[in-house]
Amino acid sequence: FAKLPLPSNLIPCSKVIPRFDSSENVMKAPHALKRSHRSTSPLHLKDEWKWLENIEDPETKAYLKAENAFYKHSMKAHAALQKTVLAELKERLAENDSSIPERDGEYWYYIRFKKGQQYPLYCRKKSNLEAPEEIYFDHNVIAKKHSYCDLGFLDISPNHNLLAYAVDLEGNERFAIILRDLTSGKEVDLKIDGISSCFEWKNDQSFFYIKLDDHDRPLELYFRELGKTESQLLYTEADTSFFLALDSSESEGYIFL
């Protein structure tokens, strides 16, 4: 393949602070320098920008700040248009929308959105749809405490008394399992970090989950019983070209790996 020349308006990362062309008053785009990186195997491609994965590297942070500054400068002339497009998109959304209730045991479960809030409310009603609403999880409450908050899963225990949910507060797709007692509304003294978004209850007192390895690959299946301090490793996928996932049958009599 022919090697294409880099655009003339790119500058090296060592001078990552956005600069202006004095003759045109135009900010120049930042450019991350290439760094040599030895691949772990011949099958891996050469990645000269792998150093950008390290968000603790001061040069990575400087580069990201420069990219954000360049974006804001480039889009400044379109600020009014951005607001117009956003307003039009909101007009097409039903901000007070809700899902169709689904029955599970003696409860009806559904999610709904409240106008002005970014995340949904997870709700249920006992016995019938005329019963009082119980909001058993409000994503907005957790999200407002953090700059980033992604929800991996929500899973109710078979007896409907415990809620297991997973959150990623860093944006690295490494989730933490948290349990909540729905009777008291308090969190259970248990937290498991570094997991994928796969989880399944075995019964009211135990569950399965998949843990990520050091390279963020979901390769290990674990089993945990409530009241115990350690999880049990059940299976490790040796072939890294495969990833593990969990799912349950409609009858909830089987769990598939």
Side-chain angles (χ1 to χ4, degrees):
F1 296 94
K3 186 175 181 180
L4 298 177
L6 291 173
S8 59
N9 65 335
L10 297 182
I11 62 174
C13 189
S14 58
K15 299 178 180 179
V16 77
I17 299 175
R19 300 187 306 175
F20 288 88
D21 187 321
S22 58
S23 61
E24 301 178 7
N25 197 29
V26 175
M27 181 183 288
K28 292 187 176 182
H31 169 54
L33 290 177
K34 296 180 180 180
R35 292 184 185 177
S36 61
H37 172 72
R38 180 176 294 180
S39 301
T40 55
S41 80
L43 298 178
H44 289 82
L45 296 176
K46 183 179 180 181
D47 186 358
E48 295 172 320
W49 290 278
K50 188 172 178 60
W51 64 273
L52 288 170
E53 290 182 356
N54 183 11
I55 60 174
E56 301 302 324
D57 187 328
E59 288 198 41
T60 300
K61 292 182 178 180
Y63 176 72
L64 292 176
K65 289 180 180 179
E67 283 281 6
N68 288 335
F70 177 71
Y71 164 77
K72 290 179 180 179
H73 175 78
S74 301
M75 297 299 294
K76 188 175 182 179
H78 308 290
L81 177 59
Q82 286 179 303
K83 291 181 180 180
T84 300
V85 172
L86 179 60
E88 290 181 358
L89 290 174
K90 286 184 175 180
E91 288 177 357
R92 289 164 171 77
L93 294 175
E95 292 191 79
N96 292 319
D97 199 10
S98 64
S99 66
I100 298 174
E102 294 186 17
R103 185 159 192 168
D104 184 3
E106 58 180 346
Y107 284 92
W108 290 88
Y109 288 89
Y110 58 97
I111 63 172
R112 66 179 178 85
F113 290 85
K114 189 175 181 179
K115 187 175 182 179
Q117 294 186 338
Q118 186 175 357
Y119 299 98
L121 305 173
Y122 293 81
C123 313
R124 67 180 182 178
K125 293 184 178 182
K126 192 172 184 179
S127 301
N128 59 72
L129 295 176
E130 285 68 46
E133 179 184 77
E134 175 190 353
I135 301 175
Y136 63 89
F137 186 82
D138 186 347
H139 193 169
N140 300 278
V141 172
I142 298 177
K144 71 180 181 181
K145 300 176 182 178
H146 306 277
S147 60
Y148 180 88
C149 181
D150 184 25
L151 192 63
F153 62 78
L154 278 171
D155 206 342
I156 301 287
S157 63
N159 64 2
H160 302 272
N161 291 334
L162 288 174
L163 167 67
Y165 66 95
V167 288
D168 167 21
L169 303 177
E170 302 293 335
N172 56 10
E173 298 184 352
R174 297 182 70 89
F175 294 90
I177 297 177
I178 301 174
L179 297 185
R180 176 180 296 178
D181 185 335
L182 294 180
T183 303
S184 65
K186 297 181 179 180
E187 309 293 351
V188 177
D189 186 20
L190 181 148
K191 183 180 179 183
I192 304 174
D193 295 307
I195 71 159
S196 74
S197 57
C198 291
F199 176 98
E200 291 293 338
W201 288 99
K202 179 186 178 185
N203 51 43
D204 299 327
Q205 295 295 317
S206 60
F207 54 84
F208 300 95
Y209 66 93
I210 293 176
K211 194 172 180 66
L212 303 175
D213 68 3
D214 294 337
H215 301 285
D216 297 334
R217 295 173 298 197
L219 298 177
E220 297 178 336
L221 172 66
Y222 280 86
F223 174 70
R224 181 68 169 265
E225 293 182 86
L226 299 183
K228 294 189 176 181
T229 58
E230 298 293 334
S231 299
Q232 180 183 357
L233 176 61
L234 299 181
Y235 176 76
T236 300
E237 177 55 61
D239 188 344
T240 56
S241 63
F242 290 92
F243 289 166
L244 298 182
L246 286 172
D247 202 359
S248 61
S249 62
E250 288 295 325
S251 67
E252 298 186 352
Y254 297 90
I255 294 177
F256 302 104
L257 174 65

